[in-house]
Amino acid sequence: MVVNPDFIGDRPDMSIDPLADIVTLLRPSASFSKLVEYAGRWRIRRDVEGKPVYFAVLEGECRVVSAGQASVVVRAGDFVLLPATGNRAIDGIESMDPPPYGAVMSPTEIGEGRFRIGQADQPVNLRMQVGICSFASPDAALLVSLLPAMVVARGEPRLATLMDLVGDETRKARPGRELVLERLLEVLLIEALRCGSSPAAMPSLARGLSDDRLVAALRAMHARPAHPWTVTDLAAEAAMSRSAFFARFTSTVGIPPIAYLLTWRMALAKRLLRTRGLAIGQVAAEVGYGSASTFSTAFTRYVGMPPMRYARAPEQTSIRE
């Protein structure tokens, strides 16, 4: 179920899907999907203009490398989603026996929608279906901060089916193509995030939603962003003590509960300022502020510009990395 992000009134908690809220607000679109095969010893850096990347490993295995973190080995049947850009993004991927640093690897097109990376005279040791997407929302940087830098889902055939559908749709010029791609990507991203939300996964919203206690607090925040939530109130929603809730939420989601609430409120405020034509005082009330001045101060501190200026600015200049 995809929740209409334009409706921000009180709703029954069980009708709220925070993951769908965020993915829908991101407004994903597909840039391309291609089959890539890798041969011999190779290493490639993440160099796709900072766009989100996802790939399904069809054959073989490789390492996903991040600075300052242990590399992650992915194998046939695994699906990897990399929604983050900038400092949270991975460095790249490499073969299990990579070449020395400094070796330049560039893809060579070998057919329609097919590319090869690595040494031409070496056998192929990895095949992947690779996709790149964009987030059209001017709030993309803000919303992506609520998602993990990397999601690995293992043995999920539904993801492979969705990848096939996305790849087929990107290569055809059917009526309604962009709308179909947007919906397919929404489903693909939600499926990947919930499949990769095991207790061993990185802290993220998806992990919080898989926690039987924390999910109640997360749904409450999304259902009633205007409510004057405190940590004590949210702990009560989760049926936990204040201290236990705070520690569990922070370690599971990756940020403290009130910081998460602020991030969500600001994302909604930006959407309201862009699309609803409301006065500043009305926006303030919708997202939990008692006065326009208090909201303006908080918004300016968080976003980097006053709300009225944000509302009037060109959309492409509104993202603050």
Side-chain angles (χ1 to χ4, degrees), residues 36-206:
V36 185
E37 55 185 45
Y38 304 76
R41 303 174 68 196
W42 51 270
R43 174 185 287 112
I44 58 172
R45 295 185 61 81
R46 177 170 173 161
D47 186 20
V48 287
E49 302 174 355
K51 292 183 178 179
V53 177
Y54 53 95
F55 54 84
V57 185
L58 306 178
E59 299 176 31
E61 59 184 3
C62 67
R63 287 193 181 96
V64 182
V65 182
S66 300
Q69 298 182 21
S71 61
V72 176
V73 176
V74 294
R75 300 181 172 87
D78 292 349
F79 179 92
V80 180
L81 169 65
L82 307 168
T85 59
N87 294 335
R88 298 178 68 233
I90 67 159
D91 289 343
I93 61 173
E94 62 187 25
S95 60
M96 300 303 290
D97 179 25
Y101 278 97
V104 177
M105 301 286 175
S106 58
T108 301
E109 188 168 5
I110 57 175
E112 184 178 359
R114 294 179 60 212
F115 292 80
R116 183 184 177 98
I117 291 174
Q119 300 153 292
D121 59 345
Q122 294 294 312
V124 172
N125 51 42
L126 175 71
R127 286 187 174 87
M128 298 198 302
Q129 186 73 29
V130 180
I132 294 176
C133 65
S134 301
F135 296 140
S137 170
D139 314 322
L142 180 70
L143 293 165
V144 167
S145 70
L146 300 177
L147 304 178
M150 178 172 65
V151 174
V152 180
R154 305 190 188 276
E156 296 290 342
R158 286 161 58 90
L159 289 168
T161 299
L162 287 166
M163 281 284 291
D164 288 342
L165 291 171
V166 170
D168 179 67
E169 199 65 33
T170 58
R171 291 188 292 271
K172 303 294 174 60
R174 300 186 181 101
R177 174 180 178 272
E178 296 306 318
L179 180 60
V180 170
L181 274 173
E182 182 177 334
R183 294 296 177 263
L184 281 173
L185 278 170
E186 285 178 359
V187 176
L188 178 65
L189 295 180
I190 291 170
E191 186 73 13
L193 288 163
R194 69 185 186 182
C195 288
S197 59
S198 68
M202 298 178 182
S204 67
L205 171 62

Side-chain angles (χ1 to χ4, degrees), residues 10-28:
D10 287 348
R11 295 168 288 181
D13 285 359
M14 289 306 293
S15 72
I16 303 305
D17 187 339
L19 199 56
D21 276 352
I22 289 174
V23 171
T24 302
L25 279 177
L26 280 170
R27 291 158 51 194

Side-chain angles (χ1 to χ4, degrees), residues 6 34 50 117 137 175 179 229 231 245 260 317:
D6 289 325
K34 61 185 180 181
I117 291 174
S137 170
L179 180 60
W229 294 109
V231 175
F245 169 76
Y260 179 92
T317 66

Side-chain angles (χ1 to χ4, degrees), residues 217-230:
L218 285 162
R219 283 178 172 159
M221 283 188 273
H222 279 249
R224 294 183 287 156
H227 185 78
W229 294 109
T230 64

